[in-house]
Amino acid sequence: MYYKKTEEQIKKIIDRSSCILQDVVDFLYNTINRYSWVGIYIVQGNELVLGPWKGPNATEHTRITIGKGVCGSAAKTGKTEVVDDIHSDNRYLACFVSTKSEIVVPIKKEGKIIGEIDIDSDKIGAFTIKDKIFLEKIADMLSEHI
Ligand code: SME
């Protein structure tokens, strides 16, 4: 039920905001404690370019080649990536020393990958199937607003 309420609140932000991507990022970061850093990357050519983000620190990875890192893998395959323990995934591009797990959810429009939601957590195995389903819905809602 928790996610349903959050999903409805995000729908309202999308309907009302003039700064949709940043407001949704802020809302996710502020509402769900396990989400330690939240960002949206936008596909530009063969790269992912960092758009709105919220977290304690900026990432050095503001441009990621498609195919590189966990973010680039999700952009290449179009499939959500859930990494329970980033230390056991050699694709991982390090951003923050505190990060333990990560989820990357592609944003698609007419079957084409146009961006993605990237969330880091300071908790190991922070992202469950519920987070995956929830964030895939949010990615669908955002696809018209990239
Ligand atoms: N860890 C990501 C890079 C982006 S930062 O987490 C913000 C990756 O492996 O692609």
Side-chain angles (χ1 to χ4, degrees):
M1 283 309 105
Y2 172 71
Y3 286 102
K4 193 77 210 149
K5 193 175 152 221
T6 312
E7 196 186 313
E8 276 157 17
Q9 287 169 309
I10 291 176
K11 260 188 205 136
K12 282 187 190 152
I13 293 174
I14 291 174
D15 287 346
R16 292 173 194 170
S17 167
S18 56
C19 210
I20 292 172
L21 297 185
Q22 185 70 62
D23 286 352
V24 170
V25 161
D26 291 354
F27 184 79
L28 288 171
Y29 177 82
N30 293 334
T31 310
I32 304 178
N33 277 341
R34 282 169 295 122
Y35 295 1
S36 310
W37 187 94
V38 180
I40 291 181
Y41 285 89
I42 312 290
V43 173
Q44 276 179 25
N46 70 337
E47 279 186 323
L48 290 159
V49 179
L50 185 62
W53 62 273
K54 176 126 172 130
N57 294 296
T59 174
E60 64 183 272
H61 297 292
T62 54
R63 299 183 91 92
I64 299 171
T65 305
I66 294 186
K68 302 273 180 219
V70 182
C71 287
S73 298
K76 192 172 177 184
T77 63
K79 295 212 172 86
T80 296
E81 291 281 350
V82 179
V83 181
D84 287 336
D85 176 5
I86 49 99
H87 295 297
S88 67
D89 193 319
N90 56 21
R91 297 169 304 171
Y92 179 70
L93 299 171
C95 288
F96 317 112
V97 281
S98 53
T99 299
K100 302 270 191 319
S101 58
E102 180 167 16
I103 188 167
V104 183
V105 182
I107 302 172
K108 297 176 200 168
K109 193 175 186 177
E110 290 154 13
K112 214 174 139 221
I113 299 145
I114 56 169
E116 58 188 33
I117 303 170
D118 176 27
I119 304 180
D120 285 24
S121 179
D122 296 349
K123 227 185 123 208
I124 205 151
F127 304 103
T128 66
I129 186 74
K130 282 190 187 174
D131 294 276
K132 180 176 181 285
I133 293 167
F134 164 65
L135 292 167
E136 286 175 352
K137 279 190 190 167
I138 305 307
D140 272 354
M141 291 187 217
L142 291 178
S143 83
E144 290 304 310
H145 304 283
I146 297 278

